[in-house]
Amino acid sequence: MSPHPLQDRAAWRPALVLPLVALLIMGLSYSLLGTGLARAAFPDQATGSLLRRGDTVIGSALVAQPFTGDAWFHPRPSAAGYDPMSAAGSNQARSNPEAIKRVDDAIAEVARAEGVPPSQVPTDMVTESGGGLDPDISPAAARIQVARVARARGMSLEKVTALVQANTAGKQFGVFGQPRVNVLKLNLALEAEASKQ
């Protein structure tokens, strides 16, 4: 008489071995291979595009950081409070009265701070990106901040404008997206230039 199927060790072996092998191949080997290839092909991006000052990590070129005060270029607003663990947009439709009021208030505040008419405030200075952590602003958003930053640092408009131009990246591969300015990189360049004076 053959043993009951639930008591047959030969019947249990495939049920235990197959998931274990699948876990090792798909869960571990695939992940290690993917990580290894990413590190080989894109070493900087695979480790988070970290920016360092000496041995100290000061941020990532891929994640927005809050900068406040007149001496710094400011990033886009963040619905996530610049917290990578809670990345999110505002999830408010363009027709939402609260969103309209928030944007109108932000336009007035940016226009006042930068000394420009409200009609000249770029959209990206008053709206969040989808994830709330976009590290880049448009060249127009950087340009309207030049006068404030130059005044606060006692630098010439020409010098600050040159830093913006030097830190403006073109379209990805010359085709995709729009020209952009990484705020963290620009502020680091600004700080380095200011330290020379």
Side-chain angles (χ1 to χ4, degrees):
M1 179 175 161
S2 62
H4 188 277
L6 295 178
Q7 296 173 338
D8 185 2
R9 288 187 180 178
W12 279 94
R13 188 173 301 130
L16 296 175
V17 172
L18 182 62
L20 183 59
V21 170
L23 177 66
L24 290 175
I25 292 174
M26 299 300 185
L28 182 62
S29 301
Y30 179 77
S31 300
L32 291 175
L33 178 65
T35 301
L37 289 174
R39 283 186 180 240
F42 307 101
D44 186 47
Q45 293 89 337
T47 56
S49 296
L50 301 177
L51 300 176
R52 301 174 187 274
R53 184 179 293 129
D55 292 335
T56 305
V57 174
I58 55 174
S60 168
L62 302 175
V63 179
Q65 296 181 43
F67 284 94
T68 57
D70 290 343
W72 301 103
F73 284 90
H74 299 165
R76 292 181 74 163
S78 171
Y82 303 100
D83 179 5
M85 299 308 291
S86 60
S90 68
N91 294 328
Q92 292 180 324
R94 292 181 180 196
S95 59
N96 185 314
E98 289 180 25
I100 293 169
K101 181 180 183 333
R102 180 178 49 80
V103 169
D104 288 344
D105 290 347
I107 289 172
E109 176 61 26
V110 171
R112 183 200 57 75
E114 306 302 345
V116 298
S119 61
Q120 291 183 8
V121 174
T123 304
D124 57 322
M125 290 304 296
V126 296
T127 57
E128 299 92 353
S129 63
L133 298 170
D134 189 349
D136 302 320
I137 57 175
S138 66
R143 282 192 300 271
I144 70 159
Q145 299 183 65
V146 166
R148 170 181 49 79
V149 171
R151 188 170 50 251
R153 289 189 175 265
M155 296 172 70
S156 71
L157 287 172
E158 294 77 17
K159 178 58 74 177
V160 179
T161 299
L163 287 172
V164 169
Q165 290 171 344
N167 285 279
T168 299
K171 293 182 177 185
Q172 191 75 31
F173 308 118
V175 178
F176 302 111
Q178 296 297 320
R180 64 209 178 277
V181 179
N182 185 285
V183 177
L184 177 58
K185 289 181 179 179
L186 176 58
N187 280 332
L188 290 175
L190 179 67
E191 187 175 31
E193 187 63 36
S195 68
K196 295 177 187 176
Q197 296 183 346

